[in-house]
Amino acid sequence: MAGKPYDRTVLQSLALVSQFAITMLVPIALLFAAGYWLDQKLGTSFFTVVFFFVGALAGFGSVYRLARQVYGKKDREG
């Protein structure tokens, strides 16, 4: 069974979406966990929220840089 011409494009798109998701979720999860741990140690309740938003900003920045890199190549190619 011969592959369809769009198979490669679909797989590349799925890989890119997966990479965006991982790039966004890892900083959020790590900083959320660090904030939760810090709140437990210090008996506070705001580090979790603050670290969550810092992780979201860091993840968004990483996704933005990745998207510029990926789509910048496509613009130069044609």
Side-chain angles (χ1 to χ4, degrees):
M1 185 164 129
K4 296 179 179 129
Y6 62 84
D7 283 346
R8 182 174 176 184
T9 305
V10 170
L11 292 177
Q12 286 176 338
S13 297
L14 288 174
L16 186 61
V17 168
S18 298
Q19 189 172 3
F20 282 163
I22 290 169
T23 301
M24 186 72 186
L25 292 177
V26 167
I28 292 172
L30 290 176
L31 286 172
F32 178 83
Y36 184 78
W37 177 80
L38 198 57
D39 278 340
Q40 295 298 314
K41 290 290 182 188
L42 299 176
T44 59
S45 62
F46 65 90
F47 283 112
T48 303
V49 175
V50 171
F51 280 24
F52 173 83
F53 285 111
V54 170
L57 288 173
F60 177 76
S62 296
V63 168
Y64 178 75
R65 284 191 301 274
L66 179 62
R68 282 191 58 182
Q69 189 177 30
V70 167
Y71 290 112
K73 286 180 184 178
K74 288 185 178 182
D75 289 342
R76 285 181 290 229
E77 289 174 359

